[in-house]
Amino acid sequence: MTEPYVIEMTETGGVEVLKQVARAPRAPGPGQALVRQTVSGLNFIDTYHRTGLYPVKLPFVPGSEGAGVVEAVGDGVTHLSVGDRVAYLGSGTYATHYTGAAASMVKLPEGISEEDAAAVLLKGLTAWMLLFEVRRASPGETALVWAPVGGVGSLLVPWATSLGVTVIAVTSSESKAARARELGAQHVVLSSGDLAAEVRALTNGAGVDVSYDSVGKSSAQASLDCLKPRGWWVSYGNASGAADPIAPGVLGAKGSLVLTRPGLFHFIADPEGMRRGAAALFGALRAGTIRAHIGQTFDLREVGKAHEAIESGKTVGATLLRP
Ligand code: NDP
């Protein structure tokens, strides 16, 4: 068996700051569980922690989600036992083992593998937040979905479509466009084109009800220009860098638009939010509404290559890291 280790950074910067360090697992304290991790999920937020876009306290073990098998539980833990398969969101999952709050660990139902759970937990809860919690997606409305075949996008597109939403996907290449159509997008436009004009043409001049925008800096203006009056710009990510500030008057002039910048952790901070989200997510997986799509898997010791891959925009679906 692999000797226990973590991937740690003592400074922010390029992928070279991610270093493998031998470290024994931490015994669980009261209310905690220790998990031998099968996989850790890679998320864009991990790259923001690495570069310093989202500041962290150093030294820092990155990684925001994982799945594995419970090895030990601390005092007071009643709903988990040694040998249970679990998935969780937390800080420091780039490691062979993870010790964290047992209350925030989701016991995996029969038929859902640890790999699939780590591929969908954070990204699928994000899709749930966007479709059900930030605002409720309604049948008959039209949504612009950016990065439609990425980790979040490949769950958001089929889930939105299943709710009766017409999806116009925005992506960077013809091959990704084909994949977006397979996922259920009714229309696909390339991000290199005149997006506002194309979206107006596809919507009889009306524009879209909502833009689910994970791209940020390079997509912000187009998102605003594609909305119908009282439309929503849901800016939830920064794949191209953080979006520039915008004056409230601009939202007024463009038709009483709504701008929100949701973060998943505000929606699952209480156990009830997490329970509701996980139930919806696993329900959608079981029903076949969404599928875990693991696009690529890296050895955790080569996590730098995984960061380079997601930052280059070349990945499709979810990326897993195997300790
Ligand atoms: P993705 O798999 O979607 O990868 C990013 C995609 O963004 C790329 O594949 C590419 O898709 C697109 N993109 C556009 N411009 C660029 C650029 N300049 N550089 C790199 N990529 C670009 O990543 P995730 O699914 O992990 O995350 C998507 C976004 O959602 C991230 O910004 C992340 O931070 C955010 N997020 C936010 C959460 C929240 O709570 N608010 C929670 C989870 C994720 P294409 O080629 O199709 O344009």
Side-chain angles (χ1 to χ4, degrees), residues 94-248:
Y94 283 11
T96 50
H97 296 76
Y98 173 77
T99 305
S104 66
M105 294 182 178
V106 180
K107 210 160 148 175
L108 294 183
E110 197 67 21
I112 296 197
S113 69
E114 289 132 64
E115 285 78 4
D116 283 0
V120 301
L121 192 63
L122 195 150
K123 300 164 188 76
L125 285 173
T126 304
W128 160 80
M129 168 190 82
L130 296 171
L131 295 172
F132 299 98
E133 301 282 310
V134 171
R135 65 188 285 286
R136 189 162 273 269
S138 320
E141 66 182 24
T142 304
L144 204 58
V145 176
W146 294 80
V149 308
V152 177
S154 59
L155 301 168
L156 182 57
V157 170
W159 209 343
T161 306
S162 78
L163 299 171
V165 174
T166 299
V167 169
I168 303 179
V170 191
T171 189
S172 57
S173 70
E174 289 296 351
S175 62
K176 285 187 173 182
R179 174 75 190 131
R181 283 192 193 91
E182 285 168 13
L183 287 165
Q186 282 84 347
H187 309 285
V188 186
V189 290
L190 291 182
S191 41
S192 53
D194 182 349
L195 216 61
E198 289 181 53
V199 167
R200 296 274 164 202
L202 288 170
T203 54
N204 295 324
V208 296
D209 296 274
V210 52
S211 175
Y212 296 114
D213 184 350
S214 61
V215 172
K217 194 171 186 66
S218 66
S219 56
Q221 191 59 48
S223 271
L224 285 172
D225 291 343
C226 289
L227 291 171
K228 59 167 66 156
R230 300 182 59 188
W232 284 59
W233 175 27
V234 183
S235 171
Y236 73 97
N238 325 289
S240 68
D244 291 326
I246 173 169

